Amino acid sequence: MIVSTKDAPAAIGPYSQGIVTGGLLFCSGQIPLSPDTGEIIGVDVRGQTEQIMKNIKAVLNAAGCEFSDVVKTTCFLTNMGDFAAFNEIYAKYFTSNKPARSCIAAAALPRGVLAEVEVIASVAAGTGG
């Protein structure tokens, strides 16, 4: 099942915001774009990470999930010097059920943003999985 919501930025390429299969939601990487304007939100990694997490929340909600359902994240940073600031914002969204995670340094990300996050979540029975 394809997951799509107007509350997260539309795909800027040939991909879906998310796909539910086998009881899991696979969310495409989110960057800090406004769902309304497509413009980059935030000038530093903290501001951009806040918008990224709002976008992820919208895709999760569209699939009937919450942050507590996330089992794995992959995070991309263009500067590992931003790791602590990124974690400060990221931790606000994963308070009790902390998912497994990888964090990768990327030479560049779409639209020149500083961070990107993708998630995999467990979908409760009856919500599309």
Side-chain angles (χ1 to χ4, degrees):
M1 172 182 94
I2 293 175
V3 176
S4 180
T5 177
K6 63 178 178 41
D7 295 328
I12 58 174
Y15 58 88
S16 299
Q17 291 171 325
I19 299 285
V20 174
T21 186
L24 295 173
L25 167 65
F26 295 86
C27 292
S28 292
Q30 289 293 317
I31 61 175
L33 299 182
S34 163
D36 299 323
T37 66
E39 295 301 313
I40 296 169
I41 302 295
V43 295
D44 63 9
V45 77
R46 283 183 179 86
Q48 289 192 10
T49 303
E50 283 284 0
Q51 185 62 42
I52 289 167
M53 300 313 274
K54 289 177 185 176
N55 294 344
I56 289 171
K57 179 179 178 168
V59 178
L60 288 170
N61 290 169
C65 297
E66 300 177 0
F67 280 102
S68 60
D69 298 311
V70 174
V71 296
K72 173 72 168 81
T73 68
T74 305
C75 308
F76 304 89
L77 298 174
T78 58
N79 180 352
M80 278 299 177
D82 287 336
F83 189 74
F86 172 83
N87 277 338
E88 178 185 317
I89 305 304
Y90 177 96
K92 293 179 5 182
Y93 292 86
F94 296 107
T95 55
S96 57
N97 293 339
K98 294 176 178 58
R101 180 177 104 168
S102 300
C103 189
I104 301 161
L109 292 168
R111 307 260 320 256
V113 300
L114 303 174
E116 180 173 358
V117 178
E118 63 183 34
V119 305
I120 300 171
S122 177
V123 178
T127 60

